[in-house]
Amino acid sequence: MNTLVKHRLFWPVAMLVALLLSNLAFTPSFFSVEVRDGHLYGSLIDIVRFGAPLIMVALGMTLVIATGGIDLSVGSVVAICGALACWRISEQGDQNSVAGVLVAVALALGLALLLGAWNGFLVAVVGIQPIIATLILMVAGRGLAQLITDGQIITVNSSPYKLIGGGYLFTVPFAILVALAVTALAVLLTRRTALGMLIESVGGNAEASRLAGIHSRRITLMAYIVAGLCAGIAGLMISSNVSSADGNNAGLWYELDAILAVVIGGTSLAGGRFSIAGTVVGALLIQTLTTTIYTTGIPPETTLLFKALVVTVVCLVQSPAFRAKVFKGRRRRPSAPPAGPAAATTEKVEVPA
Amino acid sequence: MIRRWSAAVVAGLLAAVTVTACGGGDDGAGSGSDDGKITLGFSQVGAESGWRTANTKSIQDSAKEAGIDLKFSDAQQKQENQIKAIRSFIQQKVDIIAFSPVVESGWDTVLKEAKDANIPVILTDRAVDSPDTSLYKTFIGSDFVEEGKKAGDWLVKEYASATDPVNIVELQGTTGSAPANDRKKGFGDVIAAEPKFKVVASQTGDFTRAKGKEVMEAFLKSNPDIDVLYAHNDDMGLGAIEAIEGAGKKPGTDIKIITVDAVRDGMQALADGKINFIVECSPLLGPQLMELVKKVNAGETVEPRVITKETTFTQEQAKAVLPERQY
């Protein structure tokens, strides 16, 4: 039990469970999942499905933040990719042609890679501060998305494209499967190869890593490219879910939600340490919070305040320093750990997958 | 010293860029008030939606038709651009200035400048909050409360014979925006007369399809018995339709849907029977605006508030007008 409570992800997961349980009071059938119309149907499925794009964006953001950077442009990349894919599909004669949709998706993801590489280039090669470098694309990207859509909402009517964000495969929403696959791939690459360690090393001290023989520029560049690609996939999911591209509103303020998810997951904003599982929990927590607001009927005027309060509580509860201060008085004295090397080992941060 | 110089150079460059950017919009025809034609300076909010684009097109087309020389400027959703545009209109000595204010406040100074230059001002689509109403001649635009009332009237008529309670869910526009506040109020006032109408859930969908779908998904789970959906614009309604279909229900039949705006995608859904009723919020105020411009220019008195000519659409009407729908 004690080791469970000590686990880094204990508090975020506990908050997530608490939030889910609180829904039960308002909606007794909240946890029921049924098969309707040949696919899974229920609030829990909704949370994961609508959370999938956020998970994608936050995954990319985790890697960027782990290298000590930040990517503010992901929201704009979301808008650009959705716009490009929908524009391409709307231009072709038969919107339902699978080949045409594949070309559109490939084009959009190609552009996402390019945009990520642009950010990476500015940060790793030119040496601009990440927050400024990615701010460029954050502002310019919205303009680019509106240029593609011509300021309009492009509506497409394409069943293969619809699959990405709004469709089902083996009764499970396709977006959930994509998010699962990408998360698994990220865990595999960062925890089963040396890549994760290299990223943390660059985030800890880029110069020292370079002197130790790590291509730190290449690692940083790669992190931004992956962030771009993840945002691109999220952009496809979001636009496909509503079969339309909205250059103005798609992915608006997504970068902030993504950063929040990363922080809730326990990744340090200073870089050098990250947790992919934590990020996924963080993203689900944010989406659960949004769904909770809708189902409990909190008036829209106070939504933002409620969100801010919950997030503040989550962050406070997660902080060991805060817990120590608040709960110290209630703890039994004898169980205080003895000082010395034994305590030092338990203090060491575990790095879960 | 060097730093100060470089700052000056950068400032100079920026100013030059801004001036060029502004100059690009001009047609170079000069003030053009000598040839007897009325010159109208119009500053548009931007091109943020299909609605706005249709609004721009209507104004440009009807100006051409009415033989009015239009100087058009796009503010790209920034108030400072709009103030700059109005000042340049004053310098060019246009006959009349019309604009859709990006925001409600902060217009007194520039409008006084226009007044001092004896150039009448007409507001379109959006109002300003200045207490001094002598600063502008008239305000032409939609009455959002009226739109909400029209939506409520249809609902009352549709359920006139029903005795069971009617459960309504509402998708509001962006929190705090005038259309969201007024459409909610107008609708609420009408249905409050009969206790059988009950708004069981009301949340903001930010006027977007994605949010409309997400919120409706949550509504469908927390309220198993929904009879009517009232969405403050078509886009949220369209998103909600997808959510309703995903829940295995039939939009338009199992859940009756009322929306506001009547953009093309919405009208298509109405014609397809997925929406039951749309209250129009017309962007096509060009012809009415040009009429006002001529009257004001001739020195005639005009009403301080002019409502845009708007109608409502049922499914049959939508089928009839859909082929010639402009936006």
Side-chain angles (χ1 to χ4, degrees), chain B residues 200-222:
Chain B
V200 290
S202 178
Q203 281 289 341
T204 174
D206 282 337
F207 283 134
T208 65
R209 262 181 230 193
K211 274 283 166 198
K213 181 170 183 182
E214 195 179 334
V215 176
M216 192 65 198
E217 295 262 9
F219 281 173
L220 285 164
K221 269 120 209 170
S222 56

Side-chain angles (χ1 to χ4, degrees), chain B:
Chain B
M1 195 59 201
I2 288 175
R3 183 176 290 177
R4 191 180 293 174
W5 269 108
S6 57
V9 168
V10 170
L13 278 176
L14 276 179
V17 169
T18 329
V19 167
T20 337
C22 284
D26 282 351
D27 53 8
S31 66
S33 52
D34 306 322
D35 49 5
K37 262 173 134 184
I38 304 171
T39 312
L40 169 68
F42 186 82
S43 169
Q44 179 62 285
V45 173
E48 80 276 16
S49 62
W51 193 97
R52 189 64 62 190
T53 314
N55 182 237
T56 300
K57 203 170 170 298
S58 162
I59 288 165
Q60 285 171 334
D61 290 353
S62 48
K64 200 178 276 174
E65 225 165 79
I68 290 171
D69 186 13
L70 178 72
K71 290 187 180 303
F72 186 85
S73 151
D74 186 329
Q76 297 178 331
Q77 281 143 73
K78 287 203 176 66
Q79 185 177 27
E80 63 260 35
N81 288 348
Q82 213 157 26
I83 290 177
K84 235 183 269 166
I86 294 171
R87 290 220 165 104
S88 105
F89 290 149
I90 296 172
Q91 274 164 12
Q92 295 174 42
K93 298 195 176 64
V94 299
D95 297 309
I96 290 175
I97 294 172
F99 74 112
S100 297
V102 175
V103 292
E104 286 197 329
S105 53
W107 297 104
D108 293 37
T109 319
V110 71
L111 289 184
K112 264 196 196 97
E113 285 170 30
K115 196 183 175 190
D116 292 343
N118 275 325
I119 301 176
V121 173
I122 300 174
L123 304 178
T124 68
D125 172 44
R126 300 187 187 184
V128 298
D129 66 356
S130 171
D132 183 2
T133 52
S134 76
L135 291 177
Y136 54 87
K137 288 281 175 220
T138 177
F139 164 38
I140 171 172
S142 307
D143 184 342
F144 300 132
V145 178
E146 190 56 39
E147 287 168 4
K149 276 188 183 149
K150 283 180 189 166
D153 287 340
W154 180 84
L155 186 67
V156 170
K157 214 179 279 167
E158 182 76 8
Y159 282 88
S161 57
T163 47
D164 296 339
V166 179
N167 290 333
I168 303 163
V169 293
E170 183 181 30
L171 286 171
Q172 302 178 23
T174 308
T175 308
S177 69
N181 290 346
D182 294 353
R183 283 173 192 167
K184 180 173 163 44
K185 186 179 178 302
F187 183 76
D189 288 351
V190 171
I191 62 165
E194 291 188 50
K196 70 181 173 195
F197 293 114
K198 220 178 120 206
V199 178
V200 290
S202 178
Q203 281 289 341
T204 174
D206 282 337
F207 283 134
T208 65
R209 262 181 230 193
K211 274 283 166 198
K213 181 170 183 182
E214 195 179 334
V215 176
M216 192 65 198
E217 295 262 9
F219 281 173
L220 285 164
K221 269 120 209 170
S222 56
N223 303 283
D225 189 22
I226 298 172
D227 300 310
V228 176
L229 162 71
Y230 169 47
H232 287 184
N233 79 344
D234 289 344
D235 277 326
M236 290 191 294
L238 290 168
I241 286 174
E242 298 203 1
I244 294 169
E245 283 173 343
K249 291 187 176 168
K250 238 181 134 213
T253 315
D254 296 334
I255 296 178
K256 298 244 159 64
I257 301 175
I258 311 168
T259 66
V260 184
D261 260 8
V263 297
R264 182 172 257 289
D265 288 345
M267 292 294 275
Q268 183 67 52
L270 182 62
D272 293 345
K274 292 180 178 176
I275 296 179
N276 300 76
F277 189 68
I278 297 185
V279 179
E280 186 185 37
C281 177
S282 175
L284 308 180
L285 47 76
Q288 272 177 293
L289 175 65
M290 296 312 148
E291 228 168 84
L292 282 175
V293 166
K294 281 182 181 161
K295 273 189 187 164
V296 169
N297 195 52
E300 294 173 39
T301 47
V302 289
E303 290 285 319
R305 176 81 170 90
V306 180
I307 308 285
T308 325
K309 284 181 192 133
E310 285 170 346
T311 173
T312 56
F313 294 103
T314 60
Q315 292 174 345
E316 292 72 37
Q317 286 164 331
K319 275 178 207 148
V321 299
L322 194 60
E324 64 231 37
R325 199 74 183 157
Q326 294 177 26
Y327 58 97

